[in-house]
Amino acid sequence: MIDRILLLEPHVTIHYNALDDIMYCDWTGEQNIHTVTDGCENILAFLSQYKCSKVLNDNTNVTSIWSEASQWVALDWFPRMSRAGCKFFAWVYSPNLYSKLSTDETLKYGTGDVITITFNNRDTANSWLKVM
């Protein structure tokens, strides 16, 4: 199977495309520290399991602020993602202003060795990851 759904939860869906070696993380609805940490820990576990180096983190359908998790994502999760083999992280902004601000807040702290680029749409993010 080339494309496999790994997790299907109300707040996040994670699937892996083996052909492109890209993990797709589609966040949905309102997010908070609990949903963000849960989703991120699942992403990390699957990234380690599949030895994947590319993540498309899609916030298109996020409808809320989640800045309470920003520092944890940047300073705790991204370093562990790097150690697990993540090299490239394409982050698709939500059209929701508060979610976008939460993403920007995270990026202010940095993402360590993981090359992280933000995008306004999934297609462009996906194209970038495919050439990396």
Side-chain angles (χ1 to χ4, degrees):
M1 180 179 281
I2 293 172
D3 196 274
R4 181 175 183 190
I5 293 177
L6 306 175
L7 180 72
L8 183 57
E9 293 288 337
H11 60 284
V12 67
T13 300
I14 303 170
H15 64 100
Y16 176 65
N17 183 298
L19 182 64
D20 295 323
D21 189 35
I22 298 173
M23 187 157 303
Y24 294 90
C25 310
D26 299 312
W27 298 84
T28 304
E30 291 194 15
Q31 301 293 327
N32 58 51
I33 188 113
H34 304 294
T35 60
V36 171
T37 55
D38 174 71
C40 286
E41 293 297 349
N42 278 294
I43 293 167
L44 178 62
F46 291 127
L47 186 92
S48 297
Q49 178 181 345
Y50 287 88
K51 307 293 187 225
C52 181
S53 64
K54 304 175 195 176
V55 174
L56 194 154
N57 194 64
D58 190 350
N59 285 9
T60 301
N61 297 307
V62 174
T63 59
S64 68
I65 193 167
W66 51 270
S67 61
E68 62 187 330
S70 295
Q71 187 173 2
W72 177 85
V73 169
L75 302 179
D76 184 312
W77 184 65
F78 264 106
R80 292 188 291 138
M81 289 283 285
S82 177
R83 288 192 297 274
C86 184
K87 304 272 185 244
F88 305 101
F89 196 88
W91 202 331
V92 181
Y93 278 126
S94 169
N96 178 284
L97 175 63
Y98 296 109
S99 176
K100 184 178 185 293
L101 290 171
S102 298
T103 299
D104 289 341
E105 179 73 19
T106 302
L107 296 173
K108 279 197 257 181
Y109 291 106
T111 59
D113 295 333
V114 180
I115 296 170
T116 304
I117 306 290
T118 57
F119 297 89
N120 290 314
N121 68 73
R122 184 184 177 107
D123 291 339
T124 307
N126 197 45
S127 294
W128 176 73
L129 282 176
K130 284 182 176 184
V131 298
M132 298 316 288

